[in-house]
Amino acid sequence: MAEDVLFTVFTKPWRMPIPALAEHVAGLGFAGVELPVRPGYPVHPGNAATELPRAARALEAVGLRVASVAGAADEATVEACAAAGVPLLRVCLFVGDSEDYLAAEARMRCGIEALVPALERGGVTLGIQNHCGRSVCNAMGLRSLLADLEPRCVAAVWDPAHNALQGEEPELALDIVWPSLRMVNLKNAFWRRATGPEAESVEWTPYWTSGRQGLASWPRVAAQLGRRGYAGPVCLTAEYTDQASVDRLIAEDLRYARALFDAKG
């Protein structure tokens, strides 16, 4: 199955010029990237129209495909993706602190529908990712938000780590999102207590760890994707609480993921 999967990496941890980034990611062994189009990065909202196509060419020159972009869900970013030949724009959608969930869902849906004409013109897919906390946090939330939308234009990006933090089983999550699934994020985490044992009110925070160590079972994820014949990007997001060890951890996680997907082939 591994030959049907494009292993990419979210380049958020590395704020370096695109030529250096291309060499660095190629050296780690990935076949492609998800590029942030965000303030503080070489490609940002102010220059994406010209710099995203240029970055895509530089990355492709060393054999790296820009499979997705992480950026704003707006027409300018869609147009930049189209010009660069980037097929997917990934976003997370959040619920305001004082906002009712169903009202937030209606607001999100309105924004998505307004963007569909630009997505259709550019041949770009808007990928909505589940995210723990005040967000579209599970598979059923994605299903409700994406109901009746054409997956060619608006699809699901499934993140089993955020699913696991919310207590959702990967097999059931895939049952729910499979009809609209376009990309899989791969990372891992567990809840770590943020307050001492004497605290009157306990608080917990995610600890982002390596693929073997968190709540999300990568073997179960790979098995389910293999059973269903998934072919598409699997993006390792390089998100670790131990940021100083990102290069070591992401290289280890890529080897682990490849072994799991090879075993399910």
Side-chain angles (χ1 to χ4, degrees):
M1 177 190 168
E3 65 273 11
D4 297 323
V5 169
L6 180 74
F7 286 108
T8 69
V9 65
F10 185 26
T11 61
K12 179 181 175 180
W14 303 289
R15 297 187 183 226
M16 56 181 70
I18 295 297
L21 178 68
E23 291 187 9
H24 186 72
V25 172
L28 290 170
F30 285 94
V33 304
E34 176 173 91
L35 205 63
V37 176
R38 295 176 176 173
Y41 287 90
V43 183
H44 55 78
N47 69 8
T50 57
E51 292 305 311
L52 185 56
R54 188 173 299 168
R57 290 193 296 270
L59 289 157
E60 288 166 1
V62 297
L64 296 170
R65 177 183 168 193
V66 184
S68 56
V69 151
D74 59 33
E75 191 166 335
T77 309
V78 171
E79 290 174 351
C81 287
V86 177
L88 187 138
L89 169 60
R90 179 182 66 86
V91 300
C92 297
L93 300 177
F94 296 95
V95 179
D97 289 341
S98 59
E99 194 174 18
D100 173 82
Y101 184 87
L102 293 180
E105 183 183 67
R107 169 183 56 78
M108 295 170 191
R109 179 71 182 225
C110 184
I112 290 168
E113 290 176 348
L115 201 56
V116 165
L119 295 165
E120 289 179 331
R121 286 196 305 272
V124 176
T125 301
L126 181 68
I128 313 296
Q129 180 210 316
N130 60 294
H131 193 290
C132 68
R134 293 188 65 86
S135 178
V136 182
C137 67
N138 54 32
M140 193 59 75
L142 287 173
R143 182 177 187 270
S144 178
L145 180 64
L146 301 180
D148 303 321
L149 290 172
E150 171 54 56
R152 179 178 53 83
C153 293
V154 187
V157 175
W158 180 51
D159 191 309
H162 283 290
N163 263 168
L165 288 170
Q166 298 292 157
E168 191 168 30
E169 298 292 324
E171 295 85 359
L172 302 183
L174 265 177
D175 285 342
I176 295 165
V177 303
W178 181 253
S180 62
L181 181 64
R182 181 66 180 271
M183 188 170 82
V184 176
N185 277 358
L186 211 51
K187 55 179 179 282
N188 223 331
F190 55 85
W191 289 109
R192 184 172 68 172
R193 187 168 176 146
T195 52
E198 66 286 336
E200 293 183 0
S201 179
V202 178
E203 294 181 6
W204 301 84
T205 187
Y207 185 93
W208 297 98
T209 186
S210 64
R212 297 177 186 270
Q213 304 301 324
L215 292 169
S217 170
W218 284 20
R220 289 168 65 187
V221 169
Q224 286 301 308
L225 290 170
R227 181 178 70 82
R228 296 166 186 269
Y230 176 76
V234 172
C235 182
L236 278 66
T237 62
E239 185 171 357
Y240 304 103
T241 298
D242 182 6
Q243 296 181 8
S245 300
V246 62
D247 283 6
R248 173 178 64 84
L249 292 170
I250 195 62
E252 291 174 359
D253 276 352
L254 177 58
R255 289 193 293 271
Y256 182 43
R258 279 182 169 153
L260 291 172
F261 280 84
D262 280 335
K264 304 306 173 188

